[in-house]
Amino acid sequence: MASKTRDIDDEQPEEASKPSASATKRNAFSELMSPKHKHPKPHEFKHVGKLSRSNDPRNGLLAYILEPAKFSSETVILSSDKTVLVRDAFPKATVHLLLLPRDPAKQTLNPRDALDDQDFLDMVRTEAATAVRLAASELSRLISPYSKSCQDRIAAMESDNPPDELPPGRDFSKEFKVGIHAHPSMNHLHIHIISRDMHSDRLKHRKHYNSFNTDFFIPLEDFPLAKDDIRRQTSYQNANLTKDYKCWRCKKMFGNKFTLLKAHLEEEFNAWREE
């Protein structure tokens, strides 16, 4: 008998909450994004195929794909005729975004299959690179005041006579992981852009952590996967979700002690933030 695919969340997906079109308070990230916040005409995009359960929370990303203009710039950061970039409603790290391709032919495919298409993969990589630049700007805003690597740059920017060439500071784009889950908990194709710190009160159990810190998370740069790549196997991926915890930064093992891991992640976050 074939192994049953396990989702990241057994009861309710945590990659998106029920969409809300209500306006929310704007922050610096929203202000940065708003000039580029473009929306194609609503009639240009339609869902292909019949949804077996239209009220299924696992279809929660579809509204963003079909009508991104209905949502505030706090939720939908950027949209084009190719993709929509949104904040993950249940972030598992300091900055956690989702890139949603809008191609109706790809929307409901498993990402491992959708990304076998080289033209589609090239498009996603281009869009993801833009998303990483925006995410890095947000992470810089949040982390730079604490980062030793950024202090010379901040001092130069705030001086009465700033130099023509600023000190380089920290490259926050290198702090991101970009990829997909082998068995997503949401029905519509999405790519994670997530800072590697795993510092979030939404990180609540083993599957949340292991889905980003084992082979269950497949980097976008690894696609297209070979047909015999073990990461395509359901049994292998199910086992990844139940592995013992390993710290993403120092590689220390924590067995199945989630409370100990969370306390350790807090320490690692503070050290990482100060780099």
Side-chain angles (χ1 to χ4, degrees), residues 94 139 142-149 151 170 172 175 196-200 247-250 261-275:
T94 300
L139 190 62
L142 296 171
I143 300 298
S144 289
Y146 306 93
S147 175
K148 295 176 182 177
S149 303
Q151 297 313 302
R170 184 170 172 178
F172 284 99
E175 304 291 353
R196 59 185 181 143
D197 53 279
M198 303 306 295
H199 186 258
S200 171
C247 173
W248 67 269
R249 191 165 182 263
C250 72
L261 173 70
K262 282 283 284 186
H264 179 75
L265 290 177
E266 186 71 25
E267 296 174 357
E268 291 287 24
F269 171 74
N270 290 329
W272 168 79
R273 184 173 62 172
E274 292 177 0
E275 288 180 358

Side-chain angles (χ1 to χ4, degrees), residues 244-259:
D244 287 347
Y245 300 119
K246 178 191 289 187
C247 173
W248 67 269
R249 191 165 182 263
C250 72
K251 310 307 179 185
K252 181 178 178 179
M253 300 299 297
F254 288 85
N256 63 352
K257 308 298 184 182
F258 186 71
T259 301

Side-chain angles (χ1 to χ4, degrees), residues 82-143:
K82 296 178 180 178
T83 60
V84 180
L85 182 65
V86 303
R87 293 179 183 272
D88 193 303
F90 296 88
K92 303 304 186 295
T94 300
V95 176
H96 188 180
L97 309 180
L98 301 177
L99 183 68
L100 314 176
R102 305 185 78 183
D103 184 346
K106 306 292 187 183
Q107 286 174 11
T108 57
L109 294 180
N110 184 290
R112 292 169 301 167
D113 299 325
L115 296 171
D116 281 342
D117 182 329
Q118 188 63 54
D119 290 340
F120 181 71
L121 175 60
D122 290 343
M123 181 278 291
V124 170
R125 282 177 171 161
T126 298
E127 297 287 299
T130 297
V132 169
R133 287 194 293 271
L134 300 180
S137 294
E138 171 69 346
L139 190 62
S140 175
R141 182 183 71 83
L142 296 171
I143 300 298

Side-chain angles (χ1 to χ4, degrees), residues 170-184:
R170 184 170 172 178
D171 185 356
F172 284 99
S173 66
K174 294 181 179 179
E175 304 291 353
F176 282 88
K177 301 168 67 170
V178 180
I180 59 96
H181 284 146
H183 303 302

